[in-house]
């Protein structure tokens, strides 16, 4: 199983204003045939919560890799064990920083996958969701107290009662996303319990396009679009099954239209056919002139199309050669 | 470069709301300068919230008055919906318990609406202001006190009980507030109180999950005495 891992975080407007560090942290680990992503949102009122969030994400990833089977065997005991381990490490950090343990409070979300099985761990707000059969489905919704500024943290006395561990089978799941409460309101409509079209696109592309390209594009969207919708820090981590991509040549016209982010309802077959030829030709790296000689188009149009395909992350340019970034077959 | 995520493809969840109920004494003893100053204070409150980029979308104000009758002059709504600030007129008695029960009923109704529509909300606030002692139904008063104390003790409500002038029954106000003593307004400093209240709403509206909201206690000295 090959996973693309994308992790992005950005400082919220309110923290930029007060010169407070970004308290959202993400981490990923791949070991023992287990792939894990984790995300923690440090408590706004806790002065060192950015340290606490970082410790929590790293530790939960390590626990999942080392104790996957133990968690599966006894979820109830696993909750206790994981929280005790986290608190022990947070306690050590509090001694180092000369602060109280509650100063390191954060939420914690995590997804770990091994073979056909996944484990999702959720404490506090934020969302865990999955791409299944080309639809985004909720795995675990925010666990908030009644009021908007109240949630549960790693250091909360009620953490053990509030933490959720969900075990499931991968079946048709092609990707997971975990997001903080800075991002969730942009991607999930609480009123009708529907996910945004934008998230479906992000997850589908995370399956198809190389993680490096997606990392750059998603970080830019987080910085320039999603963070503008909130004053809070924003973060998201994605675990996408790159091996599930059927290959470019097996995509339908509609799927290609969506991949190329073409506007309008009708399919522009002429443009899609040209893109097909460009991408197929770039299964192997080629210089511009060589590519041009293979294609029925003028240099200025080819240059424009190559630029767009680069921007979409579908092809790459290393300064000399162009190369497709999606698998062809 | 093309944006991976476009604003038009995101969802737009409503801003988390801060429900605030002003439960105001408009009995005949409030006639003259007190009611004029109270009207001015409420107007200042409305203006301050309207001019705050965050609070205007989050604050939902409800005004319940008690005097001739117990009346809801403005049900919970943001100031984008409430275009006008209601004018208060003084007359009648002081049915405080009935008014508080109405305020609490409206609050419960609004919270149900928030929940059914997926709207987040902060801990609600009730401001109880009076210049006298309650003279409505004693059972209603006791019921209002019990309901308020239960909610405040469970951290589901914040109450600001405020006495106006020497005639205010501070003992009854204290019964409504298990955690903090009622405050007495300095003279007729309604303006300063409502300025402080609007600033407190602003602090809450700009707060984030997990952030303990600290009210400006020092600021109270500008308008209130213990």
């Amino acid at each position: 199983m090959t996973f693309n891992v994308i992790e992005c975080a950005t400082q919220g407007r309110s923290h930029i204003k007060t010169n407070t560090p970004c308290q959202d942290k993400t981490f990923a680990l791949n070991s023992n045939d287990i792939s894990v992503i984790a995300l923690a949102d440090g408590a706004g009122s806790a002065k060192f919560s950015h340290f606490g969030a970082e410790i929590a994400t790293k530790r939960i990833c390590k626990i999942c890799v080392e104790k996957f089977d133990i968690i599966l065997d006894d979820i109830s005991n696993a909750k206790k064990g994981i929280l005790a381990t986290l608190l022990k490490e947070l306690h050590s950090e509090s001694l180092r920083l000369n602060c109280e343990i509650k100063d390191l409070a954060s939420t914690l979300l995590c997804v770990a996958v091994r073979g056909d099985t996944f484990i999702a761990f959720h404490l506090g707000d934020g969302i865990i969701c999955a791409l299944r059969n080309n639809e985004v489905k909720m795995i675990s919704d925010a666990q908030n107290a009644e009021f908007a500024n109240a949630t549960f943290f790693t250091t909360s006395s009620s953490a053990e009662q509030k933490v959720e561990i969900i075990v499931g089978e991968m079946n048709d799941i092609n990707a997971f996303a975990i997001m903080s409460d800075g991002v969730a309101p942009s991607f999930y409509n609480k009123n009708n319990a529907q996910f945004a079209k934008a998230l479906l696109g992000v997850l589908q592309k995370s399956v198809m396009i190389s993680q490096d390209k997606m990392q750059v594009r998603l970080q830019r969207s987080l910085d320039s679009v999603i963070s503008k919708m909130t004053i809070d820090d924003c973060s998201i981590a994605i675990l996408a099954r790159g091996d599930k991509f059927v290959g470019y040549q097996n995509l339908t016209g509609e799927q290609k239209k969506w991949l190329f982010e073409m506007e309008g309802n009708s399919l522009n077959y002429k443009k899609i056919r040209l893109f097909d030829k460009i991408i197929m030709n770039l299964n192997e790296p080629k210089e511009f002139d060589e590519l041009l000689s293979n294609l029925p188009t003028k240099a200025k149009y080819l240059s424009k199309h190559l630029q767009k395909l680069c921007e979409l992350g579908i092809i790459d340019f290393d300064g000399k050669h162009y190369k497709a970034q999606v698998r062809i077959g | 470069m093309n944006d991976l995520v476009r604003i038009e493809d995101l969802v737009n969840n409503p801003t988390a709301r801060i429900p605030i109920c002003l439960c105001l004494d408009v009995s005949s003893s409030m006639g003259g300068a007190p009611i004029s100053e109270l009207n001015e204070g409420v107007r200042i409150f409305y203006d301050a919230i309207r001019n705050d980029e965050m609070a205007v979308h989050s604050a939902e104000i409800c005004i319940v008055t008690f005097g001739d009758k117990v009346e809801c002059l403005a049900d919970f709504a943001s100031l984008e919906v409430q275009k006008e600030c209601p004018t208060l007129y003084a007359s009648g008695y002081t049915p405080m318990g009935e008014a508080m029960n109405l305020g609490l009923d409206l609050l419960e109704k609004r919270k149900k609406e928030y929940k059914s529509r997926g709207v987040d909300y902060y801990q609600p606030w009730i401001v109880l202001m009076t210049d006298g002692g309650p003279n409505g139904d004693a059972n209603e008063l006791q019921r209002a006190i019990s309901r308020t104390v239960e909610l405040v003790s469970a951290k589901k409500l914040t109450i600001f009980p405020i006495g106006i002038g020497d005639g205010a029954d501070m003992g009854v106000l204290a019964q409504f507030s298990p955690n903090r003593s009622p405050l007495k307004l300095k003279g007729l400093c309604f303006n300063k109180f409502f300025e402080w209240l609007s600033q407190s709403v602003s602090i809450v509206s700009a707060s984030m999950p997990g952030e303990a909201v600290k009210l400006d206690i020092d600021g109270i000295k500008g308008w209130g005495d213990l």
Side-chain angles (χ1 to χ4, degrees), chain A residues 60 139 141 194 201 239 272 314:
Chain A
I60 191 80
I139 299 287
D141 198 354
Q194 295 288 314
L239 193 62
I272 289 176
I314 298 166

Side-chain angles (χ1 to χ4, degrees), chain A residues 22-290:
Chain A
C22 177
Q23 294 163 337
D24 279 16
K25 300 291 172 191
T26 60
F27 192 70
L29 194 60
N30 194 328
S31 182
N32 295 347
D33 295 325
I34 298 165
S35 294
V36 198
I37 49 170
L39 179 151
D41 178 353
S45 56
K47 63 181 172 181
F48 292 127
S49 66
H50 51 297
F51 291 130
E54 195 172 339
I55 286 168
T57 52
K58 287 180 177 169
R59 175 52 65 176
I60 191 80
C61 286
K62 198 159 180 277
I63 292 171
C64 287
V65 162
E66 290 173 355
K67 301 187 187 301
F68 198 91
D69 285 317
I70 295 173
I71 298 170
L72 290 181
D73 281 350
D74 188 342
I75 289 174
S76 178
N77 260 332
K79 288 180 183 178
K80 281 184 196 159
I82 291 170
L83 289 169
T85 308
L86 286 170
L87 282 177
K88 196 175 162 193
E89 194 151 338
L90 292 173
H91 177 68
S92 299
E93 183 70 358
S94 71
L95 295 177
R96 188 184 73 79
L97 293 167
N98 194 22
C99 67
E100 290 184 59
I101 197 165
K102 66 178 186 181
D103 291 329
L104 298 165
S106 74
T107 66
L108 186 56
L109 299 87
C110 163
V111 174
V113 181
R114 187 185 67 190
D116 291 332
T117 307
F118 75 83
I119 296 171
F121 175 100
H122 194 175
L123 175 61
D125 54 25
I127 280 175
I128 302 177
C129 60
L131 175 66
R132 177 175 262 160
N133 293 328
N134 283 325
E135 276 185 76
V136 184
K137 300 283 187 188
M138 182 68 83
I139 299 287
S140 177
D141 198 354
Q143 304 150 349
N144 283 340
E146 182 180 357
F147 303 124
N149 54 347
T151 188
F152 305 103
F153 299 115
T154 46
T155 56
S156 300
S157 55
S158 56
E160 196 183 316
Q161 287 79 52
K162 299 299 175 186
V163 70
E164 287 282 348
I165 293 182
I166 297 152
V167 172
E169 290 183 7
M170 290 297 284
N171 292 332
D172 302 315
I173 293 177
N174 282 357
F176 287 99
I178 52 183
M179 63 191 86
S180 69
D181 70 321
V183 170
S186 289
F187 279 151
Y188 182 65
N189 186 326
K190 292 176 77 167
N191 189 23
N192 61 15
Q194 295 288 314
F195 284 94
K197 192 177 146 191
L199 181 64
L200 176 65
V202 167
L203 293 181
Q204 286 175 324
K205 283 181 181 161
S206 299
V207 173
M208 291 184 197
I209 295 171
S210 76
Q211 61 181 28
D212 296 346
K213 297 285 168 194
M214 277 303 289
Q215 176 72 41
V216 171
R217 296 195 72 203
L218 188 55
Q219 183 67 56
R220 189 162 37 228
S221 290
L222 206 62
D223 294 340
S224 62
V225 182
I226 298 166
S227 66
K228 300 290 181 275
M229 309 287 284
T230 176
I231 57 167
D232 202 356
D233 294 334
C234 292
S235 61
I236 182 167
I238 294 169
L239 193 62
R241 288 194 64 178
D243 59 324
K244 280 284 188 174
F245 178 44
V246 293
Y248 178 80
Q249 67 183 7
N250 297 316
L251 294 180
T252 63
E254 274 298 335
Q255 286 171 321
K256 287 175 184 173
K257 178 188 162 194
W258 164 84
L259 181 65
F260 299 138
E261 298 178 5
M262 288 172 161
E263 303 285 344
N265 294 325
S266 60
L267 286 173
N268 185 341
Y269 288 108
K270 197 176 162 188
K271 199 166 185 179
I272 289 176
R273 274 198 296 272
L274 182 58
F275 281 166
D276 282 350
K277 285 177 183 165
I278 294 172
I279 293 164
M280 299 293 193
N281 259 282
L282 293 177
N283 199 22
E284 297 300 326
K286 283 188 179 62
E287 290 184 34
F288 184 85
D289 288 343
E290 187 189 356

Side-chain angles (χ1 to χ4, degrees), chain B residues 153-189:
Chain B
S153 301
K155 296 184 178 172
K156 288 178 180 292
L157 178 72
T158 295
I159 183 163
F160 299 100
I162 294 158
I164 305 157
D166 293 337
D169 186 339
M170 301 304 280
V172 167
L173 289 177
Q175 287 183 52
F176 276 99
S177 184
N179 295 343
R180 68 171 75 128
S181 303
L183 293 159
K184 184 168 269 189
L185 198 69
K186 280 183 181 169
L188 295 176
C189 286

Side-chain angles (χ1 to χ4, degrees), chain B residues 84-155:
Chain B
E84 300 291 331
C85 167
T87 304
L88 315 175
Y89 300 97
S91 70
Y93 298 100
T94 313
M96 188 189 294
E98 288 83 344
M100 280 295 285
N101 279 322
L102 176 59
L104 293 171
D105 290 344
L106 293 169
L107 184 57
E108 287 308 314
K109 180 169 152 263
R110 192 59 176 159
K111 287 199 304 192
K112 276 185 190 152
E113 287 166 352
Y114 292 148
K115 284 173 191 163
S116 71
R117 293 175 194 174
V119 178
D120 290 336
Y121 58 97
Y122 293 91
Q123 190 185 64
W125 293 358
I126 284 193
V127 175
L128 172 59
M129 292 187 119
T130 183
D131 72 340
N135 52 21
D137 185 296
N139 290 332
E140 279 294 286
L141 177 66
Q142 205 47 56
R143 190 166 75 90
I145 290 170
S146 299
R147 290 174 75 187
T148 307
V149 167
E150 192 178 327
L151 288 167
V152 173
S153 301
K155 296 184 178 172

